[in-house]
Amino acid sequence: MLKVEDLSVFYGQIQALKSISFEVKQGEVVTLIGANGAGKSTVLKTISGLLRGRNGSSITFMGQDISRMEPHRIVERGLSHVPEGRRIFLQMSVLENLQMGAYTGAGDMEADIEQVFERFPRLRERQRQVAGTLSGGEQQMLAIGRALMSRPKLMMLDEPSMGLAPILIEQIFDIITELNAAGTTILLVEQNARMALSVAHRGYVLETGRVVLADTAQALLNSDAVKKAYLGG
Amino acid sequence: MIFISQLINGVHVGSIYALVALGYSMVYGIIKLINFAHGDIIMVASYAVWYGAVRMGLPTWAAILLSIVICPLLGMLIEKIAYKPLRGSARISLLITAIGVSFLLQNLARMIFTATPQSLPALIPGKLSVGPWTLSYTTLVTIAVAVVMMLCLNLLVSRTKMGKAMRAVSEDTEAAQLMGINVNHTISFTFAIGSGLAAVAAVLYCCSYPQVSPTMGSLLGLKAFVAAVLGGIGSIPGAMVGGFVIGIAESLTKGYIHSGLADALVFLILIVVLIVRPAGLMGVHRPEKV
Ligand SMILES: Nc1ncnc2c1ncn2[C@@H]1O[C@H](COP(=O)(O)OP(=O)(O)OP(=O)(O)O)[C@@H](O)[C@H]1O
Ligand SMILES: [Mg+2]
């Protein structure tokens, strides 16, 4: 469904990604794990068109090259990105945030909002509230709900567990599993490697801009290298 | 009596400042640029009215329409040619470019129409008398039109899809792109609206001061900019409030202190705001590097 080949990305002179390749197949949950600064967010931003890969990089989504497409066109094709730090519109109401998520007009907005409210009842209670006043967990739910509004075929989440209490992290990962069961393919970026690998089918380990390991989630959970570096021994 | 009439004068000029200030604030909100060429849109709009009404002999309404159609197009064109290529580069380059565009417009006008000011016919003659009170129709129309424009803008920004997209892009451009918002269109649209409001302001201004010259936009633009800063640049209600405050302060100074001090007062207000409350009356304080 999504295929990244030889992707290199630079910030000025600094090379953040060094010719990485990976793939996400329809129906999978795939996770990218790696330490701070490994380049995980850079990967997602490049896929969604916010950054550009160097010549020779290729990104194909559902058989189409999207590496030169504008971000809004990529969203229209069914790829949505829940960015690191949530990035909800703090000055807009919860409802307006969801409306912005439906900007591409992919589905029936009223019905989709209703679905998000069913999944996240807290958001229904707070729909008129300005998003900046939500708690961290509620903001993450809003960010996910907003991304669902575009009816994505593939959803990319960048560290959805960041800054959340363990019980909320649990909840977020349950939601990811549910979404996947309902047919959404997931590309999940996480520092919380144990959690990520427990919900994923396959995983890639990123180190300073390179893919150093690629395997099934189970195999990565059992691998000594991963245990030592990311699972605390 | 004097107080009331100065207050009405203040609201009259203030509503013109407010319309112009909106353009500064909206553009700043969306691309963080202080668009120094914005004042010169007023000049272009005024020349369009003059050209239509005097040179081409069009009926007044047609000349006004001409002006209100040309300015949004010009605003979008300037953005496309001068500012868009600089997106993502240092803000100072953008600022200097805007100053360059301002000079370009002024000098083009000087080349085409010469530096000699041109006179316009009275656009809205007559006044309303009720007992001892008189109020010119110009004042009435100016305030009414400005208030209606502001209400429309409020509806646009709070209710429509495009208006919400503008707010989203202002708040977080990247996140807005991830929603599927076409940022280029949204920015163009913002320039069109800002320039359209400036054109309306220019027409209203010409009703009171029926003269056009290549540099007429400078001082008016600068005062409106002060109004935008006072209200909190980037904030739409701020620009409206700022415009009225500046207009009233200026008018009261003329009435009670000295008319020569009115301009100085505006800039005094700017200095005080920058020292005491840099985010402005209604601005959200975001620490920002320039
Ligand atoms: N805007 C930028 N300008 C310059 N360098 C950047 C920029 N953004 C990221 N980098 C650098 O690129 C590298 C990869 O950053 P990236 O944000 O992709 O890492 P990450 O894996 O997402 O880290 P984290 O887990 O902390 O979010 C880092 O070395 C970072 O310093
Ligand atoms: Mg990151």
Side-chain angles (χ1 to χ4, degrees):
Chain A
M1 178 175 229
L2 176 75
K3 198 165 185 156
V4 173
E5 284 166 298
D6 295 322
L7 178 64
S8 294
V9 177
F10 287 76
Y11 290 107
Q13 297 296 313
I14 305 163
Q15 186 166 11
L17 297 181
K18 295 161 189 157
S19 191
I20 71 163
S21 300
F22 68 94
E23 188 182 5
V24 182
K25 299 199 191 80
Q26 176 113 34
E28 277 188 316
V29 178
V30 171
T31 182
L32 292 181
I33 54 179
N36 288 114
K40 307 179 297 293
S41 300
T42 306
V43 172
L44 298 197
K45 283 185 175 180
T46 314
I47 294 171
S48 45
L50 297 175
L51 295 171
R52 293 282 175 228
R54 269 291 152 96
N55 285 344
S57 309
S58 125
I59 305 172
T60 22
F61 177 59
M62 316 235 304
Q64 199 173 26
D65 180 15
I66 58 166
S67 61
R68 295 281 163 238
M69 233 181 238
E70 286 184 276
H72 65 98
R73 295 262 175 252
I74 295 174
V75 184
E76 281 167 8
R77 301 202 57 74
L79 202 164
S80 88
H81 178 176
V82 182
E84 186 173 352
R86 295 148 200 153
R87 306 283 285 272
I88 55 173
F89 301 110
L90 298 173
Q91 293 168 36
M92 293 183 157
S93 71
V94 168
L95 196 59
E96 283 174 331
N97 267 278
L98 294 176
Q99 291 167 348
M100 295 325 292
Y103 196 83
T104 54
D108 171 359
M109 185 164 78
E110 298 304 322
D112 288 352
I113 289 179
E114 190 50 39
Q115 271 201 356
V116 170
F117 284 160
E118 261 158 44
R119 194 180 290 282
F120 305 110
R122 284 289 271 282
L123 297 182
R124 187 200 302 276
E125 289 163 31
R126 280 148 216 261
Q127 55 179 299
R128 309 253 161 239
Q129 200 169 314
V130 173
T133 61
L134 297 179
S135 75
E138 290 160 354
Q139 291 192 3
Q140 188 63 64
M141 289 172 190
L142 179 57
I144 294 175
R146 185 179 69 170
L148 285 172
M149 293 296 297
S150 66
R151 299 221 176 153
K153 299 187 178 75
L154 171 65
M155 186 149 153
M156 308 193 291
L157 296 111
D158 196 342
E159 301 202 31
S161 73
M162 191 167 61
L164 300 185
I167 178 122
L168 273 176
I169 297 182
E170 200 84 51
Q171 212 181 328
I172 296 281
F173 279 94
D174 285 348
I175 288 162
I176 291 170
T177 312
E178 276 171 44
L179 290 176
N180 179 243
T184 313
T185 307
I186 308 267
L187 174 57
L188 173 66
V189 158
E190 264 299 336
Q191 288 211 37
N192 190 334
R194 191 185 305 277
M195 274 305 235
L197 289 170
S198 73
V199 298
H201 301 109
R202 292 188 303 113
Y204 293 85
V205 179
L206 223 59
E207 248 169 48
T208 56
R210 282 181 217 280
V211 173
V212 293
L213 276 174
D215 213 329
T216 62
Q218 199 53 48
L220 288 174
L221 269 172
N222 294 329
S223 118
D224 287 337
V226 173
K227 272 188 189 160
K228 217 163 107 201
Y230 303 103
L231 303 174
Chain B
M1 197 57 204
I2 291 188
F3 179 75
I4 300 283
S5 77
Q6 289 300 344
L7 200 63
I8 292 173
N9 275 340
V11 174
H12 174 168
V13 282
S15 48
I16 294 174
Y17 292 155
L19 289 180
V20 181
L22 283 166
Y24 279 107
S25 231
M26 283 166 39
V27 164
Y28 185 85
I30 211 149
I31 58 170
K32 304 290 173 277
L33 161 72
I34 293 165
N35 181 14
F36 273 105
H38 188 57
D40 300 294
I41 298 283
I42 298 166
M43 177 273 294
V44 174
S46 307
Y47 269 108
V49 175
W50 170 77
Y51 196 85
V54 176
R55 280 282 177 85
M56 291 164 69
L58 295 176
T60 309
W61 64 265
I64 291 173
L65 194 66
L66 178 74
S67 160
I68 292 173
V69 170
I70 285 178
C71 288
L73 295 176
L74 178 65
M76 290 194 289
L77 187 73
I78 291 173
E79 193 276 327
K80 216 158 219 90
I81 294 177
Y83 304 149
K84 189 174 170 213
L86 290 172
R87 225 177 277 160
S89 49
R91 269 208 239 164
I92 189 78
S93 324
L94 209 57
L95 196 67
I96 292 169
T97 306
I99 295 172
V101 172
S102 167
F103 283 142
L104 178 72
L105 291 176
Q106 287 184 20
N107 286 296
L108 278 177
R110 191 169 292 137
M111 246 174 66
I112 301 171
F113 303 114
T114 77
T116 321
Q118 308 285 347
S119 298
L120 275 167
L123 295 176
I124 314 172
K127 53 177 163 258
L128 185 71
S129 304
V130 183
W133 302 81
T134 62
L135 198 57
S136 72
Y137 285 132
T138 301
T139 299
L140 279 177
V141 169
T142 301
I143 296 172
V145 168
V147 168
V148 169
M149 297 305 293
M150 288 180 218
L151 291 176
C152 290
L153 182 69
N154 255 336
L155 281 182
L156 175 89
V157 168
S158 61
R159 298 285 162 78
T160 67
K161 196 172 169 184
M162 197 57 178
K164 288 180 192 182
M166 283 166 63
R167 280 157 59 207
V169 175
S170 300
E171 193 177 329
D172 187 336
T173 307
E174 265 189 7
Q177 286 176 291
L178 295 181
M179 301 298 105
I181 293 171
N182 184 334
V183 170
N184 288 334
H185 284 179
T186 312
I187 293 175
S188 284
F189 184 74
T190 305
F191 271 84
I193 296 287
S195 306
L197 291 172
V200 173
V203 172
L204 297 172
Y205 184 78
C206 289
C207 294
S208 305
Y209 309 94
Q211 210 175 49
V212 296
S213 75
T215 52
M216 65 179 286
S218 303
L219 188 60
L220 180 53
L222 213 50
K223 287 184 186 169
F225 168 65
V226 175
V229 173
L230 171 64
I233 194 149
S235 152
I236 287 177
M240 299 178 186
V241 170
F244 286 113
V245 171
I246 294 286
I248 292 168
E250 194 184 87
S251 170
L252 292 180
T253 310
K254 278 184 184 159
Y256 288 102
I257 308 175
H258 192 279
S259 58
L261 279 180
D263 291 350
L265 175 93
V266 172
F267 296 104
L268 184 68
I269 292 178
L270 176 65
I271 293 167
V272 172
V273 171
L274 290 180
I275 293 170
V276 178
R277 200 180 154 84
L281 295 176
M282 315 186 72
V284 239
H285 184 70
R286 279 188 230 133
E288 204 131 38
K289 39 188 195 299
V290 176

